[in-house]
Structure formats: C-alpha cells, structure tokens
Amino acid sequence: MVYYAAIALISAASLLLELALLRLFAVQQFYHFAFMAVSLALLGAGASGSLLSLWPRPLRPAWSSLGFSVSILGAYLLINALPFDSFSVAWDRRQPFFLALYFLAAAVPFLFSGLLIGGALMAAGREDRSHRVYGANLIGSGLGCAVSLAALDGLGGVGALLVATLLGLVAGLGFEASVGRRVPVLVTALVLVTLVTSGLLVWRPSILAQRLSPYKALPVLLRAPDAVHTFSDADATIRVDVVETQTVHVLPGLSLLSPLGPPPQAALLIDGDGLMPITALPPVAPEAAQLADAVPSGLAYRLRPGARTLVLQPGTGLEVLMALAAGAEYVTAVDDRRLVLEVVRDRYDTFTGGLYHHPRLELALRSGRVFARRSEAGRYGLVVVALSDPHRPVMSGAYGLTESYSYTVEAFRDYLQLLEPGGLLLASRWLQTPPSEGVRLFATLAEALSASGREPTEHLLAFRTLRTLTVVAAERPFESEEIGILRSFLEERAYDAVMFPGITKADLNRFQVLPEASYHAQLDAVLRDPSSAYTAARFDIRPVRDDRPFFYHYFRWAQTPEVLANLGRTWQPFGGSGFLVLVALLILVMLASATFILGPLLLAGLARGVRKRTEPPRLLRARAFLYFSCLGLAFLLVEIPLAQRFILVLGHPVTALAAVLFAVLVFSGLGSLVARWLPARTALLLLVVLIVVAPVAIRALSPAALALPEGPRWVLAMLALAPLGFLMGIPFPAGLARLEKTAPTLVPWVWAVNGCFSVVSAVLAVMLAITWGFTVVLWLGAGAYALAYLALPRRDLNGYRV
C-alpha cells in the first residue's frame, strides 16, 4: 500500500505543478501561454515512454522523484531569468530560442514523473497489476487538483510550486520505505532537499520573486517616478496588486466637455495587467454627481432617475460610484473577484470615501450569471454591465483566448429578465478601428432581444464617445420622449449617435468626426441582415454563445496574409492575433513530440526488438498505434472543453479546470481499477454515446445549476462528470492488459504514442473550441473513441474475446 500511496503522491505533485504553472504563466506572460502548462505535462510523459522503449530498465523510483523535485526548482529559476518577451516573438530572432528553452525546461519535471509512472506500469504489467498503478496514478492526480486550490489560494503560484516539490520528495521517501534495501545516499539527498525546499517555502527569498513581462501594466506603472507599490496578494484565481501614482487617469467615455477631469486614482491590477482605477471621490461629493452626468451611463440615470440599479462586474467600483452619485435609489454590485472587493472595501475604504460601505449599496460575491439565476435577485430599473477591463487593440488578440460568459447571448437573456417593466440594460465596450468589439456587443444584445420575443430595432440604441461605444437595451420599445432625452444628452456631451429608432443621416458623425459613419453602417447591417453583415465584416463579429464564449476573439484566417505582411512593421503583439500564438504553439508541440517522443523510436526501433524474430506482428503494432493514439487524442478533446464549459457553473478557469480534472481523474482511476473485469468494447460504446449527448445535457443542466448555492453546484458538477470519468478510465488499462499478454515490449512504446497525441490534442482542443465551439470538440472526442473501438480487435492473439 505504501508503494501505491507513493504513486498517488507523485501523481498529485505533477497535477499540482501543472496548475501552478498555469497560474504562473498567466501572470508572468499572458493568458495565451497558460495553455502551455497542459502541453508541457503531456510532452514530458510522452517523452518518458520513448526513453523507456529505448532503455527498458527505468530509474529507481526514488531517484525519479528526486529528479522531479530538483528539476522543478531549476526550471522555475531558469524560466524566471530568461529574457523571453512574448510581445516581440514575431520580430526578435532570439525569442523563439528563448521560448524553446522556456518550454523544454518546464517539461523536464514531467519527464521524471513520466519515467516513474511508465516504469511502474511496465513492472506491474509483468504481474498483471498495471491497472492498479494506472488507477493510483489517476486518483492521485485528481487529488492533486483538489490540493492545488488550497495551495494556490493560501500560497500563490510560487508557493504551490514549492508544495509540489515537497510532495515529490515525500513520494521519494515513500518509495524507499516500500522496498527492502534502501540507498542511504538517496535517502539523505531526499531529506536534505526537503529541508531546503521547506526553508524556501517559509522564507521566500527574493530570487523566487516572479518577474513579469515588461509590457504588462504593473512594471510599466512602477517606472513612474512617484509610483508606490502598496499591496500584492493572490488566491487560486487571480493576483492583485495596487500601485499609487498620479499617472493613473481612467474614466472610460468621459465627455470632452466635462467641467471636471478624473479625480485622484490608484491602480489595481489583476495578474499584473487589467488595470482598474480606485477612485478617491466620495459618492456624496458634488463633483461625483457632475462626473456621473458626464459619462455614458449618465444617459441611463436621466432616462430612469432614482432607479434601483444592478451593477455587474464593477471591480473597483467606478460604475457603483457613478450610480450612487447619480441618485440611484439602491445599488446592488455583483462581482466574483473576492480579493478585488476586499481591497476596495477594507484597505481603501477611507481613500474611496467609504464607497463599498455606503448605506444604499449591497455587495454580492458571485458571478453575474449566478446572481441572475438566483431567486433573491429581484427586479431592477437599471442593469449596468460595467466596463472594467482595459482597452486592448483588437489586432493584439490580448484577450482572444479568454472565456467570458458575461457577454454571451444567454447571459444577456438572463440580464434582461432582471429588468422591471420599462427597465433598461446598459453596456459599454471600447471603440475599435475597424468596428469589432462594440459591433459584437450590439449584435449579441440584438440576438438576445430577438430570442426573448422583442424587435431589436425598437428596443436598442447606441452611441459613441471618443473611445467607447455604449449600447442600451430597453424592456419595452423606446418612446419618442426618451429619444428626445437621448438627443439632448448627446448634444450636451458631444457624443455621437450610432443607432436609435428613427435615426437620420443628420444625427450621425457630428462631434468625433470620422471619414464615414462606419459604426452606424455596421450596426444597421446587423439589424437588417445579420448573416450577411457577419460574413462581410473584416473581423469575426458574430454573437457569442455559451458553447463558444470567446467574446474577445475576432480573428479570421483571411487576416493571416495581412498579419504576416505587417510583422515587424506595425505594433502587433503576439504576432498580430492571440489565435496565431496557438497556431505557433501547435507547431512547436508537434515538432517537440516528433523530436522527443517519436523520433528516438523511429531511429532506434521498438524497444530494441524490431529487427528480431520476437518482433510483434505488424497488424498488432498498427492496431496498437491507432488505438492508443486515438485514446491520447480523445481524452483531452473531451476533458478540455468540459473544463472550459464548466467555467460558467464553477466561476473561474482555474477553479473549473481543477474541479473538472478532479472529477474526471478520480472517477477514471476508479474505472481503471475495475477495467480487467469490464468489456472494453462495451465501455467504449457507452463512452461514445455519453459524450455525444453531453452537450445537450450540459445545456439543460447549467441554468438549474446556476440557481443553486456554491456547494450544491460543485456537487452537481461532480455527479454530472462521474459517469464520463469512470468510463474514460477503462480503455487505456484494458488495452495495456491485452498488450501485456501478446506483446509486452510494446507497452512503453504505446505510452509514448499516447503521450505524443495527447500533447497535440491539448492545444488542438482549445483551437477547435475557439473556432467551432465546445460541442464540436466533444463530438470529435467521441469520434476518436469510436475509432479506438474499431481498432480494438474482438479477440486477442490467444483467442479470448475482448
């Protein structure tokens, strides 16, 4: 039992490391590079299978555990010191080299853990116990996901990485305890490294401090002469920093005719970026009322004075301040970022004039989607979707890979249901050239109105400021008196009308004059013929849905020639589009897989036996290759879209990934433990059926789950994933069992093949989800499992039915 506990422990350490790297990469670089963490883990595991095929005598498990832990520390120090700059990959010839080092260094720990698990599978296979090793591996990995949430929440990304190091060392000591003859030098090394790592975890020397990309807002702000870094903390989902400096001036859409400019502000940053202002202005100050009438949301308070107001995702509270200053009867602010709310409410309470302790304000710590589905949400005269993220040029693709369930058609339908009769919903987005972000917002709201039985042309209006586009949706058609108030407001604030019922050419392009009224033309085309408007647009401006919630992804393949032609000539971070980063990453992992996983096997033959008479039959090798490659593709094609889809229910990418991995891996581990007694072909057929119906079941489940408290939501998610996870754990050990009887020399080879295709699948799943949605990716996963079913023979070489 000690041996299997050690297997579970090293597996838990590997998954904890994977999730810690996900957070570290997101903070150090950008969200694009967080996807590397999954690929790195799979690349290391796959490469270990290649090495085991060439050298079938694996390291002593404790040595592998020591190598795993020491390489974690070495890899982190290396990637933290490398001058890798993701913004200049496209034009700086050194950066691809730095990226390769960055990538490979972080894969080394997973190589050691893969050698350990692969070697254990080989040894156990000789005694018909490989399913137990695989089960312990999966269950331990799932438990590592649970540990990761606690470690990340209490210790941050670097602390979680050190905890993974310690778990690996404890696993090594467990392996030594499980054998009869111990190696004193090895035990001593494990103990010494454990003591050193414990010291690093307690004292956190400056050498472990994470270095951020120089293009992130935090290092840029800290260059200001008067900048003071006043606060830094992290939980499992975000890192929060606060910088006080006079250089912060953030008030989106403030009229150029405003008698006042932005008041003093501090900067709160999420993951070193995503600047939000903490504003030093009490809601009762006369200046606050003046500013509230000089920003886009001021129109809503003119149209519905004194309305009960809901502000979604207010962050540091700028829109809450505007609502209270404009005289809202009562304000409910809903945000799921605990650290952000705590900083403003507690540390900066005096600075903000008691904003988040105002008697007419209620704070709710949950996502807008969850709040909208709860019975106590009530009805509001105004619902404001706050613009709390910073401006990013659309060509940068900075947020292109980020899931956002706050801006989908289903989200706006939920928000519209919160309006009392005659209520208004207001949302603003940054103005982009050519039109993209604001047009998608308008199109999404138009589709939400249509889906709720309302005519968009009568219920929508839009106007632009110098840098923002604001869309207002009404519960009932706009009346002529309200259009008159709109015209007066736009005239007084020098805002430009873009769309409203009865708009004329004379209403357009009056203040911030453009060569042509392109924003109006786009919105008008969306209302008249949506499908043609989406096809003709330069960017992808289709409304987003919960099945494809990538609001910030505007890339189209037709842009590629233009992007490539402008590389190095114009400011195009990430090579012109966040999506192209995934393309580059896919190419990189394919090359790495071919080089480090399949390359050695092709050059040296299969486990030194290819040219001998004991070589397994070609048909068996071909079937094994197809079967285990399909399993490698399928597992991630199912697991990753499930994790992304459950973000809606569980609240945050890291939380959802940890929860989904926990459920899938633990139940897969249980499935693997009974794999020897269940027909593999039956399990595969049931798995294909469950995956095919999963998207429909999830769509039906999600609204009900959102209405539940947090605890029951998690339980429901775990129960929903249990059948899939259980069945997903059967095919791999079942296939190994057949190879152990017929061709044991192929076991390490198929471990490498499975890892190779898993590496590619990890990136491919994200690319396909962004392009076609989660349903398509899940169905492709079902197709891969169906191919595995066809590759599995009805009888093994000994004639037994399988």
Side-chain angles (χ1 to χ4, degrees), residues 609-621:
V610 169
R611 296 180 178 85
K612 298 180 180 179
R613 293 182 181 180
T614 57
E615 175 189 0
R618 290 184 179 180
L619 178 60
L620 177 62
R621 291 207 313 271

PDB file of all heavy atoms in Angstrom, residues 609-621:
ATOM      1  N   GLY A 609      13.765  -4.449 -30.299  1.00  0.00           N
ATOM      2  CA  GLY A 609      13.337  -5.767 -30.785  1.00  0.00           C
ATOM      3  C   GLY A 609      12.752  -5.767 -32.161  1.00  0.00           C
ATOM      4  O   GLY A 609      12.228  -6.784 -32.613  1.00  0.00           O
ATOM      5  N   VAL A 610      12.845  -4.654 -32.866  1.00  0.00           N
ATOM      6  CA  VAL A 610      12.147  -4.539 -34.143  1.00  0.00           C
ATOM      7  C   VAL A 610      12.688  -5.515 -35.184  1.00  0.00           C
ATOM      8  O   VAL A 610      11.949  -6.119 -35.939  1.00  0.00           O
ATOM      9  CB  VAL A 610      12.249  -3.094 -34.661  1.00  0.00           C
ATOM     10  CG1 VAL A 610      11.768  -3.005 -36.096  1.00  0.00           C
ATOM     11  CG2 VAL A 610      11.431  -2.190 -33.787  1.00  0.00           C
ATOM     12  N   ARG A 611      14.010  -5.673 -35.218  1.00  0.00           N
ATOM     13  CA  ARG A 611      14.605  -6.486 -36.276  1.00  0.00           C
ATOM     14  C   ARG A 611      14.868  -7.931 -35.823  1.00  0.00           C
ATOM     15  O   ARG A 611      15.610  -8.661 -36.448  1.00  0.00           O
ATOM     16  CB  ARG A 611      15.891  -5.834 -36.757  1.00  0.00           C
ATOM     17  CG  ARG A 611      15.642  -4.476 -37.409  1.00  0.00           C
ATOM     18  CD  ARG A 611      16.934  -3.850 -37.879  1.00  0.00           C
ATOM     19  NE  ARG A 611      16.688  -2.591 -38.533  1.00  0.00           N
ATOM     20  CZ  ARG A 611      16.571  -1.436 -37.910  1.00  0.00           C
ATOM     21  NH1 ARG A 611      16.663  -1.395 -36.610  1.00  0.00           N
ATOM     22  NH2 ARG A 611      16.354  -0.328 -38.574  1.00  0.00           N
ATOM     23  N   LYS A 612      14.278  -8.304 -34.720  1.00  0.00           N
ATOM     24  CA  LYS A 612      14.455  -9.664 -34.219  1.00  0.00           C
ATOM     25  C   LYS A 612      13.217 -10.506 -34.529  1.00  0.00           C
ATOM     26  O   LYS A 612      12.150  -9.995 -34.831  1.00  0.00           O
ATOM     27  CB  LYS A 612      14.718  -9.636 -32.712  1.00  0.00           C
ATOM     28  CG  LYS A 612      16.003  -8.882 -32.341  1.00  0.00           C
ATOM     29  CD  LYS A 612      16.214  -8.896 -30.845  1.00  0.00           C
ATOM     30  CE  LYS A 612      17.487  -8.136 -30.473  1.00  0.00           C
ATOM     31  NZ  LYS A 612      17.706  -8.119 -29.007  1.00  0.00           N
ATOM     32  N   ARG A 613      13.357 -11.770 -34.396  1.00  0.00           N
ATOM     33  CA  ARG A 613      12.236 -12.667 -34.678  1.00  0.00           C
ATOM     34  C   ARG A 613      11.101 -12.480 -33.677  1.00  0.00           C
ATOM     35  O   ARG A 613       9.978 -12.888 -33.934  1.00  0.00           O
ATOM     36  CB  ARG A 613      12.715 -14.115 -34.673  1.00  0.00           C
ATOM     37  CG  ARG A 613      13.650 -14.425 -35.822  1.00  0.00           C
ATOM     38  CD  ARG A 613      14.059 -15.889 -35.794  1.00  0.00           C
ATOM     39  NE  ARG A 613      14.965 -16.184 -36.887  1.00  0.00           N
ATOM     40  CZ  ARG A 613      15.487 -17.388 -37.106  1.00  0.00           C
ATOM     41  NH1 ARG A 613      15.194 -18.395 -36.282  1.00  0.00           N
ATOM     42  NH2 ARG A 613      16.298 -17.586 -38.125  1.00  0.00           N
ATOM     43  N   THR A 614      11.444 -11.888 -32.505  1.00  0.00           N
ATOM     44  CA  THR A 614      10.412 -11.671 -31.489  1.00  0.00           C
ATOM     45  C   THR A 614       9.599 -10.418 -31.752  1.00  0.00           C
ATOM     46  O   THR A 614       8.770 -10.035 -30.943  1.00  0.00           O
ATOM     47  CB  THR A 614      11.059 -11.551 -30.102  1.00  0.00           C
ATOM     48  OG1 THR A 614      12.024 -10.494 -30.134  1.00  0.00           O
ATOM     49  CG2 THR A 614      11.744 -12.849 -29.714  1.00  0.00           C
ATOM     50  N   GLU A 615       9.847  -9.788 -32.881  1.00  0.00           N
ATOM     51  CA  GLU A 615       9.111  -8.576 -33.218  1.00  0.00           C
ATOM     52  C   GLU A 615       7.616  -8.865 -33.273  1.00  0.00           C
ATOM     53  O   GLU A 615       7.184  -9.843 -33.884  1.00  0.00           O
ATOM     54  CB  GLU A 615       9.566  -8.074 -34.593  1.00  0.00           C
ATOM     55  CG  GLU A 615       8.769  -6.876 -35.100  1.00  0.00           C
ATOM     56  CD  GLU A 615       9.093  -6.559 -36.546  1.00  0.00           C
ATOM     57  OE1 GLU A 615       9.930  -7.261 -37.131  1.00  0.00           O
ATOM     58  OE2 GLU A 615       8.494  -5.618 -37.074  1.00  0.00           O
ATOM     59  N   PRO A 616       6.785  -8.022 -32.624  1.00  0.00           N
ATOM     60  CA  PRO A 616       5.332  -8.230 -32.665  1.00  0.00           C
ATOM     61  C   PRO A 616       4.821  -8.123 -34.101  1.00  0.00           C
ATOM     62  O   PRO A 616       5.380  -7.397 -34.926  1.00  0.00           O
ATOM     63  CB  PRO A 616       4.786  -7.079 -31.796  1.00  0.00           C
ATOM     64  CG  PRO A 616       5.933  -6.667 -30.933  1.00  0.00           C
ATOM     65  CD  PRO A 616       7.162  -6.892 -31.761  1.00  0.00           C
ATOM     66  N   PRO A 617       3.746  -8.817 -34.424  1.00  0.00           N
ATOM     67  CA  PRO A 617       3.182  -8.744 -35.786  1.00  0.00           C
ATOM     68  C   PRO A 617       2.844  -7.301 -36.171  1.00  0.00           C
ATOM     69  O   PRO A 617       2.439  -6.496 -35.332  1.00  0.00           O
ATOM     70  CB  PRO A 617       1.916  -9.599 -35.679  1.00  0.00           C
ATOM     71  CG  PRO A 617       2.155 -10.499 -34.516  1.00  0.00           C
ATOM     72  CD  PRO A 617       3.002  -9.741 -33.562  1.00  0.00           C
ATOM     73  N   ARG A 618       3.027  -7.022 -37.456  1.00  0.00           N
ATOM     74  CA  ARG A 618       2.785  -5.661 -37.929  1.00  0.00           C
ATOM     75  C   ARG A 618       1.343  -5.227 -37.696  1.00  0.00           C
ATOM     76  O   ARG A 618       1.082  -4.081 -37.363  1.00  0.00           O
ATOM     77  CB  ARG A 618       3.131  -5.564 -39.414  1.00  0.00           C
ATOM     78  CG  ARG A 618       4.610  -5.655 -39.695  1.00  0.00           C
ATOM     79  CD  ARG A 618       4.879  -5.451 -41.179  1.00  0.00           C
ATOM     80  NE  ARG A 618       6.302  -5.509 -41.460  1.00  0.00           N
ATOM     81  CZ  ARG A 618       6.825  -5.361 -42.683  1.00  0.00           C
ATOM     82  NH1 ARG A 618       6.001  -5.149 -43.719  1.00  0.00           N
ATOM     83  NH2 ARG A 618       8.125  -5.417 -42.852  1.00  0.00           N
ATOM     84  N   LEU A 619       0.406  -6.160 -37.920  1.00  0.00           N
ATOM     85  CA  LEU A 619      -1.002  -5.804 -37.723  1.00  0.00           C
ATOM     86  C   LEU A 619      -1.254  -5.415 -36.271  1.00  0.00           C
ATOM     87  O   LEU A 619      -1.980  -4.456 -35.996  1.00  0.00           O
ATOM     88  CB  LEU A 619      -1.897  -6.981 -38.123  1.00  0.00           C
ATOM     89  CG  LEU A 619      -3.409  -6.758 -37.914  1.00  0.00           C
ATOM     90  CD1 LEU A 619      -3.883  -5.566 -38.743  1.00  0.00           C
ATOM     91  CD2 LEU A 619      -4.189  -8.019 -38.297  1.00  0.00           C
ATOM     92  N   LEU A 620      -0.633  -6.134 -35.347  1.00  0.00           N
ATOM     93  CA  LEU A 620      -0.802  -5.803 -33.935  1.00  0.00           C
ATOM     94  C   LEU A 620      -0.215  -4.430 -33.623  1.00  0.00           C
ATOM     95  O   LEU A 620      -0.823  -3.634 -32.908  1.00  0.00           O
ATOM     96  CB  LEU A 620      -0.145  -6.874 -33.061  1.00  0.00           C
ATOM     97  CG  LEU A 620      -0.192  -6.617 -31.555  1.00  0.00           C
ATOM     98  CD1 LEU A 620      -1.634  -6.560 -31.058  1.00  0.00           C
ATOM     99  CD2 LEU A 620       0.583  -7.708 -30.805  1.00  0.00           C
ATOM    100  N   ARG A 621       0.978  -4.164 -34.175  1.00  0.00           N
ATOM    101  CA  ARG A 621       1.590  -2.847 -33.947  1.00  0.00           C
ATOM    102  C   ARG A 621       0.714  -1.742 -34.520  1.00  0.00           C
ATOM    103  O   ARG A 621       0.535  -0.685 -33.903  1.00  0.00           O
ATOM    104  CB  ARG A 621       2.979  -2.785 -34.586  1.00  0.00           C
ATOM    105  CG  ARG A 621       4.018  -3.652 -33.899  1.00  0.00           C
ATOM    106  CD  ARG A 621       5.425  -3.091 -34.115  1.00  0.00           C
ATOM    107  NE  ARG A 621       5.678  -2.728 -35.495  1.00  0.00           N
ATOM    108  CZ  ARG A 621       6.153  -3.541 -36.422  1.00  0.00           C
ATOM    109  NH1 ARG A 621       6.414  -4.799 -36.108  1.00  0.00           N
ATOM    110  NH2 ARG A 621       6.375  -3.125 -37.645  1.00  0.00           N
TER     111      ARG A 621
END
